[in-house]
Amino acid sequence: MIRIALFSLSCCLTSAAFAASSAINQLDAGHVMAGEKPVVLLGQGVKQGDIAPNFKVVDDKFMPIELTQFKNKPVLISVVPSLDTGICSLQTKHFNETVAAQYPDVEMLTISADLPFAQKRFCKAENIDKVTTLSDSVWHDFGEKYGLIIQDMGLLSRAVFILNKDHKIIYKQLVPVLSKEPEYANVEAALKTL
């Protein structure tokens, strides 16, 4: 119990330190809204055509996972603010139940800033078994490199990326309204080009 509390405190302090030092993502500035208010995104940002930056996140056992572990495999990265919210749950279930079955050769990842404990509980309760959930709560490395950290919240902005087997970004969808689901038809059209 003490170990969990210390880890949570460490994550909070890391988040606060990161938020104070990270630059604003100029590439995607003004593209995301929370209701009527624009959201400021922190980090570097990526664009379609870039080679996807490697990143380090953790799985449900706090084991480090990097993009390089999926070498020579196409990857879909579904990014959600928090699995414990309705739209994020719908998005994750859609990729797990609908998309993963149609594209078994594509590695399906869902990344959020939720702690791994919460992700594990969500996956068990919702029978998420075809999508791998990964947490950016420890180092915020994914959010920083992809420019998705929401300023003053520490959550990730909703997005979808598709990487070909060489990990070139062939599709990027930064969802313009946080409370909306991605345009799934556009995602599936991009998957068909792999």
Side-chain angles (χ1 to χ4, degrees):
M1 187 71 156
I2 292 172
R3 183 175 166 209
I4 293 170
L6 289 174
F7 176 79
S8 295
L9 178 61
S10 171
C11 287
C12 291
L13 293 174
T14 302
S15 287
F18 173 81
S21 67
S22 186
I24 292 174
N25 171 357
Q26 297 296 332
L27 180 66
D28 297 311
H31 291 138
V32 179
M33 305 284 283
E36 302 287 320
K37 183 180 174 192
V39 170
V40 175
L41 298 177
L42 303 177
Q44 299 168 24
V46 295
K47 59 187 180 303
Q48 192 168 317
D50 288 352
I51 295 298
N54 190 36
F55 56 81
K56 186 164 76 168
V57 290
V58 293
D59 66 12
D60 64 355
K61 296 175 186 68
F62 283 91
M63 295 300 298
I65 303 291
E66 295 188 30
L67 178 61
T68 54
Q69 291 175 240
F70 306 104
K71 188 177 179 181
N72 298 321
K73 286 193 79 173
V75 179
L76 180 144
I77 304 171
S78 170
V79 187
V80 298
S82 177
L83 290 169
D84 281 323
T85 61
I87 301 300
C88 299
S89 175
L90 288 172
Q91 179 175 334
T92 304
K93 287 193 260 187
H94 177 82
F95 286 116
N96 185 71
E97 296 164 8
T98 306
V99 181
Q102 294 178 43
Y103 300 93
D105 295 332
V106 176
E107 192 69 41
M108 301 274 172
L109 309 177
T110 289
I111 300 178
S112 74
D114 295 305
L115 288 172
F117 311 115
Q119 291 183 335
K120 187 173 184 175
R121 177 188 41 74
F122 171 83
C123 290
K124 184 176 180 182
E126 299 295 340
N127 298 314
I128 303 298
D129 57 356
K130 296 173 195 70
V131 170
T132 302
T133 55
L134 300 169
S135 173
D136 196 35
S137 64
V138 178
W139 302 287
H140 309 287
D141 189 51
F142 173 80
E144 160 63 21
K145 289 177 177 171
Y146 288 69
L148 297 175
I149 298 172
I150 302 171
Q151 188 177 45
D152 300 327
M153 293 178 76
L155 300 175
L156 299 176
S157 190
R158 190 178 313 283
V160 180
F161 300 92
I162 299 174
L163 319 179
N164 67 13
K165 66 181 182 61
D166 300 318
H167 292 175
K168 179 179 179 182
I169 301 170
I170 65 160
Y171 179 80
K172 172 186 175 180
Q173 182 182 154
L174 186 60
V175 180
V177 179
L178 282 177
S179 61
K180 303 283 185 186
E181 291 178 77
E183 294 288 339
Y184 297 120
N186 296 340
V187 174
E188 293 193 45
L191 283 169
K192 288 176 183 169
T193 69
L194 288 172

